């Protein structure tokens, strides 16, 4: 409660821009029964609810301003069964997942940010460094344990409440409070990583070549292309990070299409062969060199720092022409002039591969997209977010003639006027029906989503 000694830390989320939020109270759930008690209390008292797993909601919904926050971060136990399935508490951070699975020789395709919660990632789809090989995080979801809008504990699986499971597999959820998730995992692969950088003068041909090459490359190869500018950079930069789970000796041959398509060679081409899954995921999280999962956090005793940011997204299906690539480059160059920015970024994460080719029934609507695109601007914690929000949204608007209005729900942007169509496309109507049936009073509906 406000005034309690622990309240300041209990209300904190990952983006410092929301530090001014004032929840009515924070329920730090220690069990699924605690979650049920919280939901029933909110129903009886009419108190608004906010749900928190990792605390990464880009729109600040997990901050719980003027609401009771049900925080499940303490529900983080992870177990791996003999068949390789993993049951993961809804509050587990990704770095905890990678440590627990890696120690058992197993892996799950998921993101690279250490403090992201497994629940939010899965509900929105889940893009990460093994996505093209094994599918989205949500594609591996087998079942969930959850608390319903009435405060009842329930299961959703292929045999029990299958519509609820469908909505939780990349459809944005909003159907209950998840308390645990069970996934199919895969044997942990050996991973070769590569880092490339080009002269920024070659950015247009590199972008054009990457978008044609990346989604149709061998599914064992994933890459992210980044355009970077702002205060951390002496000038704009274009960089690529890749992961390859085939024989390390075959990486060069699989990268050749990018170099041939662009007609230019990188100025930096650094390869680290044959690394363990756990080592790679800790490295991507910024926790290489023997850092433990307990230390790989922004919380108490953690080595990571929170950073204020603005963000929005695209999920494109149409390739850029030369004018479109030039427009993207121009936004990067303008980012160099954004006053007070620590870094301005456009990140293109490759899809295709298993995302396109796995024929699975899920709420994720962007199977045919070739990438997810994230526009971000990071800034000082005390700065006014408004000019940075404007900049990233202007970047999205500038690219709409080529990339349309599709967006990724895990990069939630409250300024998107038709979230149903943007985030869920042809799945929007079915998802709205499922949410309405599961939560007729819209207790779990995010602002702007109650009717979509």
């Amino acid at each position: 409660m406000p005034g309690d000694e622990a309240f300041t830390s209990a209300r904190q989320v990952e983006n410092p821009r929301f530090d001014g939020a004032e929840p009515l109270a924070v329920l730090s759930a220690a069990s699924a029964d605690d979650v049920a008690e919280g939901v029933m209390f909110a129903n009886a008292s009419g108190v608004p609810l906010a749900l928190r797993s990792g605390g990464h909601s880009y729109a600040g919904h997990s901050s719980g301003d003027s609401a009771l926050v049900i925080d499940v971060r303490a529900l983080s136990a992870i177990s791996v069964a003999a068949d390789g399935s993993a049951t993961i508490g809804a509050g587990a951070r990704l770095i905890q997942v990678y440590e627990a699975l890696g120690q058992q020789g197993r892996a799950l395709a998921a993101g690279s940010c250490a403090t992201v919660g497994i629940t939010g990632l899965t509900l929105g789809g889940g893009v990460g460094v093994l996505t093209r090989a094994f599918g989205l995080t949500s594609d591996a979801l087998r079942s969930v344990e959850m608390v319903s809008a009435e405060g009842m504990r329930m299961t959703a699986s292929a045999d029990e409440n299958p519509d609820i499971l469908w909505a939780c597999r990349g459809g944005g959820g909003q159907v209950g409070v998840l308390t645990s998730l069970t996934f199919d995992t895969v044997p942990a692969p050996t991973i070769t990583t590569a880092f490339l950088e080009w002269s920024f003068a070659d950015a247009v041909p590199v972008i054009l070549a990457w978008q044609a090459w990346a989604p149709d490359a061998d599914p064992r190869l994933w890459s992210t292309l980044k355009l970077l500018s702002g205060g951390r950079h002496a000038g704009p930069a274009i960089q690529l990070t890749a992961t390859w789970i085939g024989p390390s000796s075959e990486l060069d041959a699989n990268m050749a299409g990018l170099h041939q398509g662009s007609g230019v060679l990188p100025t930096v081409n650094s390869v680290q062969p044959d690394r363990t899954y756990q080592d790679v995921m800790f490295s991507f999280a910024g926790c290489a060199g023997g850092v433990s999962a307990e230390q790989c956090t922004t919380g108490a005793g953690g080595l990571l720092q929170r950073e204020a940011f603005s963000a929005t997204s695209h999920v494109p299906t149409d390739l850029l022409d030369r004018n479109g690539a030039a427009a993207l480059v121009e936004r990067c160059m303008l980012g160099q002039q954004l006053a007070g920015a620590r870094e301005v970024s456009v990140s293109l994460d490759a899809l295709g591969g298993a995302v396109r080719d796995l024929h699975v029934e899920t709420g994720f609507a962007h199977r045919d997209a070739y990438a997810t695109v994230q526009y971000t601007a990071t800034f000082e914690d005390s700065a006014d977010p408004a000019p940075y929000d404007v900049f990233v949204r202007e970047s999205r608007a500038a690219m709409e003639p080529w990339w349309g209005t599709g967006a990724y729900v895990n990069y939630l942007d409250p300024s998107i006027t038709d979230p149903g169509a943007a985030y869920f496309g042809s799945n929007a109507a079915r998802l709205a029906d499922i949410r309405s049936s599961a939560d007729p009073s819209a207790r779990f509906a995010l602002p702007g989503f109650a009717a979509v």
Side-chain angles (χ1 to χ4, degrees), residues 228-320:
L228 304 167
S229 57
R232 290 175 179 165
H233 303 276
I238 181 166
Q239 302 171 346
L240 179 141
T241 301
T243 60
W244 166 249
I245 61 172
S248 57
S249 60
E250 297 178 9
L251 175 61
D252 285 348
N254 281 277
M255 297 290 293
L258 173 63
H259 304 316
Q260 293 166 3
S262 67
V264 296
L265 292 176
T267 57
V268 176
N269 189 350
S270 174
V271 176
Q272 292 183 277
D274 301 329
R275 305 169 68 189
T276 69
Y277 163 77
Q278 187 171 341
D279 176 48
V280 167
M281 299 316 297
F282 269 67
S283 179
F284 277 130
C287 295
V291 175
S292 68
E294 288 72 23
Q295 295 171 307
C296 191
T297 180
T298 59
L303 301 178
L304 303 181
Q305 298 295 316
R306 296 188 307 149
E307 191 166 50
F309 66 91
S310 299
T312 189
S313 70
H314 261 125
V315 187
T317 55
D318 294 330
L319 300 183
L320 298 173

Side-chain angles (χ1 to χ4, degrees), residues 37-368:
E37 289 285 350
V39 172
M40 288 188 288
F41 167 80
N43 289 344
S45 62
V47 170
L49 276 174
L51 309 182
R52 182 188 301 160
S53 172
H56 275 268
S57 170
Y58 279 23
H61 297 316
S62 53
S63 67
D65 203 19
S66 301
L68 168 64
V69 177
I70 297 181
D71 187 329
V72 300
R73 285 183 284 193
L75 306 181
S76 58
I78 301 169
S79 62
V80 180
D83 67 355
S85 63
T87 298
I88 302 174
R93 296 176 287 113
L94 292 187
I95 202 66
Q96 295 171 307
V97 174
Y98 296 139
E99 182 177 65
L101 295 187
Q103 290 175 350
Q104 298 293 319
R106 308 298 296 183
L108 177 68
S112 57
C113 179
T115 56
V116 162
I118 187 65
T119 296
L121 180 80
T122 304
L123 291 177
V127 174
V129 303
L130 300 179
T131 290
R132 299 191 66 255
F134 301 118
L136 304 165
T137 311
S138 54
D139 292 338
L141 183 65
R142 179 187 293 185
S143 65
V144 299
E145 298 294 323
M146 58 180 283
V147 173
S148 71
E150 293 79 26
M152 304 298 293
R153 294 180 61 177
M154 59 181 287
T155 300
S157 67
D159 300 320
E160 194 174 357
N161 301 302
D163 276 355
I164 296 292
L165 179 66
W166 185 84
C168 290
R169 299 181 79 192
Q174 302 177 62
V175 291
V177 191
L178 272 59
T179 56
S180 76
L181 307 88
T182 297
F183 296 91
D184 293 317
T185 67
V186 297
T190 298
I191 302 175
T192 295
T193 58
F195 174 79
L196 286 70
E197 186 166 0
W198 293 263
S199 165
F200 196 74
D202 294 322
V204 167
V206 170
I207 293 167
L208 294 175
W210 180 87
Q211 67 175 4
W213 162 81
D216 292 316
D218 188 309
R220 294 173 293 176
L221 179 60
W222 172 87
S223 62
T224 180
L225 186 70
K226 294 182 182 293
L227 284 73
L228 304 167
S229 57
R232 290 175 179 165
H233 303 276
I238 181 166
Q239 302 171 346
L240 179 141
T241 301
T243 60
W244 166 249
I245 61 172
S248 57
S249 60
E250 297 178 9
L251 175 61
D252 285 348
N254 281 277
M255 297 290 293
L258 173 63
H259 304 316
Q260 293 166 3
S262 67
V264 296
L265 292 176
T267 57
V268 176
N269 189 350
S270 174
V271 176
Q272 292 183 277
D274 301 329
R275 305 169 68 189
T276 69
Y277 163 77
Q278 187 171 341
D279 176 48
V280 167
M281 299 316 297
F282 269 67
S283 179
F284 277 130
C287 295
V291 175
S292 68
E294 288 72 23
Q295 295 171 307
C296 191
T297 180
T298 59
L303 301 178
L304 303 181
Q305 298 295 316
R306 296 188 307 149
E307 191 166 50
F309 66 91
S310 299
T312 189
S313 70
H314 261 125
V315 187
T317 55
D318 294 330
L319 300 183
L320 298 173
D321 58 17
R322 184 165 291 273
N323 289 337
L328 197 62
V329 168
E330 181 182 17
R331 293 307 302 174
C332 182
M333 295 174 68
L334 289 172
Q336 199 69 29
Q337 305 168 26
L338 184 59
R342 290 178 172 176
E343 181 176 87
V344 178
S345 172
V346 182
S347 299
L348 294 83
D349 292 338
L351 296 180
V355 178
R356 178 186 57 213
D357 299 334
L358 278 177
H359 299 292
V360 290
E361 268 288 302
T362 75
F364 185 79
H366 303 292
R367 294 285 172 186
D368 293 331

